Structure formats: C-alpha cells, structure tokens
Amino acid sequence: MNHDAVTVQPELQLISLDVNGEQYDVVTEPRRTLVDVLRHALRLTGTHVGCEHGICGACTVLVDDAPVRACLMFAAQAEGARIRTVESLSKGSGGELSDLQRAFSEHHALQCGFCTPGFLMLAEGFLAERPEATKEEIREVVAANLCRCTGYQTIVEAIDGCATARRGACAQPCDSSKEH
C-alpha cells in the first residue's frame, strides 16, 4: 500500500476579460469568481467582498451594462462581456469623481463606505436603463443592496439628485446612454 502524499494541481484556464475598457488575459482556476479575479488577479480592489452569497450587493459590478453580483459569477462566464467596476466611474488620471460619486458625497450617502461601490454600480446601471426613475423606483432598487450605516434615505436622495441633474443637462435631446 502506497502512503505517499499525492499533490493535485488545480486545472487552470486562460480567459480574456474586458474590464473598464482594457483587455486582460488571466490564467485562473475555472471555479474562481469574478470578484476574486477582479480583486486578486487584476488588483481592482474597489469591488468589495461581503457575504459571498449574493445577498449584500457589495460586489456589484456592471456586466454588459447590467448590475451583477460578482461573487455569484465565475470569471470565465464574463469572458466576452464588457465589465465595469467602480474604478471606471472616476475620470482621467487625476481621478475626478463622476457626477454620481459627487452626488453620494454631497448627500452624505456614505458612512463607513464598505457598501458604497456596490451601490454606485447598482445606481449607474439602473440610471442608464431608467433615467426618468422616480424616488419610489430608486428606493425599490436600492433595497437590493445592504447598508448598515446610512438608513438608505441619503442613498436614495443622492441617486435622485444625480438623475435630476443628468436630466437637466439633457435640456436638448440627448442620448441617455452616454456618460454625463
């Protein structure tokens, strides 16, 4: 009977990911989640890991413009899709905040900040789809993510304020899918 230890090497695969407009080739195990690859392989640490069960929303990113829980998606499933993380919101090398990030700051819609990237990406995806959203619709959408600090009201106010400003910036006909 042989009692020698057997070392099993994990299966690896090469995947190509489009993240924030840049192409990345990543060698990873098929079982790795998108959030793990974003944080550990690509060092995009703005996407937070919370519950790892898809409940809290801290890991929300946009995949082909739709909010997705990155802890519930294998990285390999995102191959061929456009992925946007919270890092995509700031503009230029100076890191100027986006209108949505400024609205969160101005409305005090963040406290500890842990859930904030998930809320920002949820809101970014939602406002792209529903630029005319009412406060009630915004309130319903943000209920999908968990926050232990703010009580949600300031988050709703920030998203509504950003949506109102974006609509105001479109006084003449404009394409709501463009970044403002």
Side-chain angles (χ1 to χ4, degrees), residues 1-179:
M1 187 167 196
N2 185 353
H3 294 292
D4 291 341
V6 176
T7 304
V8 177
Q9 295 295 323
E11 178 185 339
L12 297 176
Q13 66 184 46
L14 174 65
I15 60 173
S16 181
L17 298 175
D18 176 344
V19 182
N20 301 332
E22 293 186 40
Q23 285 297 127
Y24 295 91
D25 291 328
V26 179
V27 176
T28 188
E29 296 174 54
R31 66 178 182 83
R32 297 240 358 240
T33 62
L34 180 57
V35 73
D36 285 338
V37 168
L38 291 171
R39 288 184 60 80
H40 302 293
L42 303 183
R43 301 285 187 228
L44 295 169
T45 57
T47 304
H48 292 165
V49 179
C51 67
E52 297 188 78
H53 295 286
I55 297 168
C56 74
C59 66
T60 302
V61 297
L62 299 181
V63 177
D64 289 334
D65 300 321
V68 169
R69 311 291 185 160
C71 73
L72 296 180
M73 181 179 219
F74 292 118
Q77 290 175 290
E79 193 167 28
R82 288 179 332 278
I83 303 161
R84 283 186 61 203
T85 68
V86 71
E87 287 89 352
S88 73
L89 296 180
S90 62
K91 297 177 177 114
S93 61
E96 178 187 330
L97 297 179
S98 71
D99 59 345
L100 184 59
Q101 290 170 308
R102 284 192 312 274
F104 266 62
S105 178
E106 291 163 3
H107 287 86
H108 308 287
L110 52 113
Q111 287 183 20
C112 81
F114 188 80
C115 65
T116 305
F119 275 106
L120 286 167
M121 298 314 292
L122 178 68
E124 185 73 11
F126 177 67
L127 290 180
E129 183 180 310
R130 294 273 303 121
E132 300 289 331
T134 65
K135 275 190 181 179
E136 292 74 29
E137 291 170 320
I138 293 168
R139 191 176 325 285
E140 186 175 324
V141 166
V142 300
N145 283 21
L146 298 179
C147 176
R148 296 179 63 167
C149 302
T150 66
Y152 294 88
Q153 186 57 35
T154 55
I155 295 171
V156 171
E157 295 294 333
I159 296 169
D160 183 59
C162 181
T164 300
R166 286 180 180 182
R167 289 190 298 265
C170 286
Q172 62 273 71
C174 69
D175 180 0
S176 64
S177 68
K178 291 181 182 175
E179 285 189 10

